[in-house]
Amino acid sequence: MKETDILVIGSGMAGLTAASLLAKDGFDITVLEQNWLPGGCASSYPRKHFWFESGATTVIGLDPGMPVRYLLDQIDVDVEVWPLDIPMKVYLKNGEVLTRYQNLDQWIEEAERVFGKKGQREFWQYCYDISQFVWDTSLKQLAFPPSSFQDIIHTIKNFQPNQVYFARLAYQTIEDLLRKYGLDKNELFVDFINEQLVITAQNYLDEVNILFGATALSYTHYTNYYIPGGLIKLVEVLQKYIEDRGGKFELRNGVQKVSREGDHYKIIAKKGEYKARYVVSSIPLNNTLDIFDNPDLKQKYRRQVMDSSQLNSAFSFGFAAKRLADFDCIHHQIHLEKPLPYTNAKSIFLSLSHHEDHQRCKPGQIVGSVSTHIHDPANRFIEKKEEVENTIIDILEEKGFLKRDDLLYYHSSTPKAWEKWTGRQWGFVGGYPQYFNIKPWQMVDSRLDGKGAFICGDSVYPGQGIPGTCLSGIIAWNKLRLSGVFKKLALQPG
């Protein structure tokens, strides 16, 4: 049996964040990953000499005061990133193309051009102000939601009066906000907001509260980045940091069972058994409950764990083709005149490789990733995958991104493929969606069993992409520190 101070289950962005910060503190870290590549949904994979993104394709959170920047500053490493001039373009059903400029005033002028001037400036300025509060508060309240005396003390010490003012927004939805500014009858705008929310908050305006929804809608107003070579390069930087400090990565070694024995945990994995004083699970709550030999946990989380009817998986389509142009924008959301076959999706999201990035494909070529949501994946079957593929190719050809005859390679993935790749129950992606009846203080707590098991990931901090999962890893690390880990393992902090 192998022994380690802290065993981390899964190497997605949350697990990598927690493992990196714990390695910085001097702990002996072991990371077990069921896949043959690290990174989970924030990684890249090779096919036919091309590199495709696994899931996440947009990168924010590197601005000052945001989670990814905080992580990299804490461990004193950096990763090569290219800031994007234009975060996204959106193709509406009426033929209009919006440019989602990073500059707020420039974006408001664009929104007014397409949707009319009524309420736009007030709506978007309010959303941006809320997003600034959320990100500023998130890195101050690193024991949230509080569940121990130490957490409460930490929360009180970092309390600011404006937190009371903004907390009330958790009791209102984005639909309420549209109504406030007279935008709820603007059908084109309502469709736009709904499709933007589904890729950032995993749900629609009648379910997403203002606090999280406004933040999700404002992510284009923070610097969006492209990582040359793909997201795997960020993963490799964090992996190297952990290994340089004595940490161990074991791939193709999924965890099968975790049980508490005395003052430690016994972990049974595909390739052996492990003993650890602490465990950090960075896989979804659904999967975590399945592997923990603790009936009390299932009872504890019976009202928080989500089933397939509440979750989304994806149909994804990756392609390589001859490059038609050096596009000025690499992220595109395309609204559809009729739903995509078998998926019921009303939009698709396209991310392209940067024309200066020759690590993912050769000069003169382009790699693209298309994805769309599939709700309730356990009960939705893609009968004819080829029909969905051909529809997507037709859409991309019509919008000028490729020519069918120039395709060099393509492949697609259904929820079953996602389940196999990520190990996630039903292949759900994007984490837990935002639901109005779940307030921020009712989110899944990082302290999993109240002893030595912790959890992080996008079922803990839902719907905010890489910054959210990174933040969840930071919170798990901080709560571990607050639990007295240094004293128990006889180490000095930092």
Side-chain angles (χ1 to χ4, degrees), residues 63-312:
D63 290 347
M66 296 191 76
V68 184
R69 181 76 273 149
Y70 176 92
L71 167 64
L72 297 180
D73 287 347
Q74 282 284 320
I75 63 176
D76 194 25
V77 302
D78 220 331
V79 61
E80 182 182 6
V81 292
W82 298 345
L84 299 175
D85 293 330
I86 300 175
M88 184 195 304
K89 287 188 176 181
V90 182
Y91 300 72
L92 302 180
K93 287 189 290 187
N94 69 350
E96 288 278 6
V97 181
L98 290 101
T99 301
R100 289 225 60 182
Y101 295 105
Q102 180 179 339
N103 179 273
L104 183 60
D105 287 329
Q106 198 173 5
W107 161 243
I108 291 172
E109 290 177 7
E110 177 78 341
E112 290 176 339
R113 177 185 70 82
V114 175
F115 302 117
K117 288 196 172 184
K118 181 180 179 180
Q120 291 294 325
R121 179 165 293 279
E122 295 83 1
F123 175 83
W124 290 107
Q125 183 64 60
Y126 191 55
C127 285
Y128 182 66
D129 291 344
I130 293 169
S131 73
Q132 288 192 302
F133 160 78
V134 168
W135 289 123
D136 177 66
T137 303
S138 293
L139 284 174
K140 290 185 171 70
Q141 293 292 358
L142 292 180
F144 192 83
S147 59
S148 72
F149 178 73
Q150 292 88 352
D151 290 353
I152 293 170
I153 295 299
H154 185 281
T155 300
I156 293 172
K157 285 175 61 177
N158 291 279
F159 173 77
Q160 294 177 311
N162 66 349
Q163 291 171 16
V164 176
Y165 171 81
F166 282 102
R168 67 189 177 87
L169 299 179
Y171 291 93
Q172 301 173 58
T173 67
I174 291 293
E175 187 175 42
D176 294 328
L177 192 60
L178 263 64
R179 195 176 295 117
K180 175 182 177 180
Y181 292 113
L183 296 167
D184 56 310
K185 305 300 183 186
N186 187 332
E187 290 187 19
L188 192 65
F189 187 66
V190 169
D191 286 346
F192 167 74
I193 292 296
N194 266 329
E195 295 309 307
Q196 288 280 281
L197 284 174
V198 79
I199 61 174
T200 52
Q202 311 298 314
N203 219 327
Y204 298 100
L205 56 80
D206 61 331
E207 283 286 359
V208 181
N209 71 56
I210 293 176
L211 201 60
F212 280 133
T215 305
L217 290 170
S218 298
Y219 89 91
T220 52
H221 303 307
Y222 297 85
T223 311
N224 281 239
Y225 295 91
Y226 178 86
I227 299 180
L231 282 164
I232 188 70
K233 298 302 179 182
L234 171 60
V235 172
E236 289 172 350
V237 166
L238 298 179
Q239 180 179 355
K240 183 177 185 301
Y241 178 86
I242 295 164
E243 290 178 334
D244 285 349
R245 279 146 191 81
K248 294 170 285 293
F249 268 73
E250 298 188 19
L251 303 176
R252 299 183 190 268
N253 197 14
V255 173
Q256 300 169 341
K257 183 179 177 181
V258 180
S259 56
R260 186 162 178 85
E261 299 187 354
D263 64 349
H264 67 275
Y265 292 87
K266 178 182 177 182
I267 301 96
I268 300 175
K270 184 178 179 181
K271 296 181 180 179
E273 297 184 0
Y274 301 79
K275 177 182 178 181
R277 178 63 182 85
Y278 292 90
V279 172
V280 178
S281 175
S282 71
I283 62 177
L285 181 62
N286 304 58
N287 298 78
T288 298
L289 296 178
D290 281 345
I291 62 174
F292 267 76
D293 184 21
N294 184 344
D296 292 341
L297 283 183
K298 291 188 178 181
Q299 178 65 17
K300 176 182 177 180
Y301 292 106
R302 68 190 187 281
R303 292 193 178 123
Q304 289 177 287
V305 67
M306 294 188 186
D307 61 28
S308 176
S309 67
Q310 299 170 285
L311 300 169
N312 300 303

Side-chain angles (χ1 to χ4, degrees), residues 368-401:
S369 298
V370 177
S371 62
T372 193
H373 284 76
I374 297 178
H375 189 65
D376 192 6
N379 298 301
R380 189 179 292 276
F381 179 68
I382 307 298
E383 295 180 20
K384 296 181 180 179
K385 192 167 74 167
E386 297 80 7
E387 185 177 339
V388 186
E389 292 173 341
N390 284 318
T391 301
I392 291 173
I393 293 170
D394 288 343
I395 293 168
L396 298 182
E397 190 167 31
E398 177 196 345
K399 299 300 181 185
F401 293 110

